[in-house]
Each structure stands twice: as C-alpha cells, then as structure tokens.
Amino acid sequence: MPIIRHAESRRTETPNAVMTTFASPTQGGAGLAVWHVEMRPGQSGPLHAFDTEQVWTFLSGAATVDLDGEKLAIEPGDTLVMPADVPRQVFSDPDSGMTAIVAAPAGCRAYTPEPIDVSPTCALPDGDKLVPAWVV
C-alpha cells in the first residue's frame, strides 16, 4: 500500500472552495478519490450533480445542503450521503464557513443544468460532463 505524504496532496482552488486531494489514481490510489473541502464563510458551490455517489463528513463550521430540493442543515460530525445524479448545492455558514472530507469513486464526473464557465485547472470536459481535478 502506498503512503501519500502530506507534501504530495494536490490543492485545487475554485471560485467557491479549496479542494485538497488526499488520494486519487494519480497519487497512488486505485478506485477511490478522497479530498478535503474548505469553504470560506458565505460561499456556495454551483447547482450540480455527480454521476456517482459521494460521502461527505463535515469536520467544522456548518452548511446548508440543498439536495434535490430538500434543504438540510449540517453540523460538524454529520455525514451526508449524496446519491448519484441528484442535484445538489452546498452553502457554507455565513459566519464560520465549513470543512469536510469527501470520498467518491475516482474519475466521477459532474454536470450542471445550465452550462458554466470552468477553468481547465479545476475540471476537464468529458463529453457533456466535467471531471474535477481533485478526483483524478
């Protein structure tokens, strides 16, 4: 089993959050990507979906997650399973922001109901979907 040293973690900054990849295929992992999400206070990600399940464990701060139209209040220690192909949007707490650890199948692809402009340093097109930099 390979050890992925902290110095080998890959950091990807988006307009909404910072993702630090702990494990992925390009870092010695096999079929699972694991990353840390940090959102500053009051930030929110875009409305989107993934083609695979994701498991989020919230470490600090708080968030509201709109999961298929249901608004869920999330606190530290909560784990949220986001099913594949379900629209979601994460809103960090306006005072404390939030951090979480996320696990999903490597190479999972995101998509949005409406086209958005995404930097190639954040995600690469794969057909009508995007492969985020933190899952490869």
Side-chain angles (χ1 to χ4, degrees):
M1 297 293 235
I3 295 174
I4 302 164
R5 303 288 179 192
H6 177 70
E8 298 166 338
S9 297
R10 185 174 55 241
R11 184 178 162 98
T12 306
E13 191 161 344
T14 73
N16 313 305
V18 175
M19 268 58 82
T20 303
T21 306
F22 295 142
S24 70
T26 60
Q27 294 174 296
L32 188 65
V34 178
W35 66 96
H36 178 266
V37 177
E38 182 177 357
M39 293 180 82
R40 291 181 305 281
Q43 294 293 106
S44 63
L47 177 63
H48 65 290
F50 270 85
D51 61 0
T52 61
E53 177 182 270
Q54 291 183 337
V55 178
W56 288 57
T57 298
F58 290 80
L59 304 175
S60 66
T64 300
V65 178
D66 184 329
L67 190 61
D68 202 20
E70 183 180 357
K71 297 211 182 329
L72 306 168
I74 307 293
E75 299 177 356
D78 291 346
T79 295
L80 176 62
V81 177
M82 295 193 204
D85 300 312
V86 171
R88 80 273 317 261
Q89 190 169 16
V90 178
F91 301 86
S92 71
D93 182 80
D95 296 319
S96 63
M98 54 111 339
T99 63
I101 298 289
V102 184
C108 56
R109 300 176 309 154
Y111 56 99
T112 59
E114 301 199 12
I116 60 172
D117 186 28
V118 177
S119 165
T121 60
C122 292
L124 295 173
D126 184 16
D128 62 343
K129 297 182 177 150
L130 297 165
V131 179
W134 47 94
V135 302
V136 295

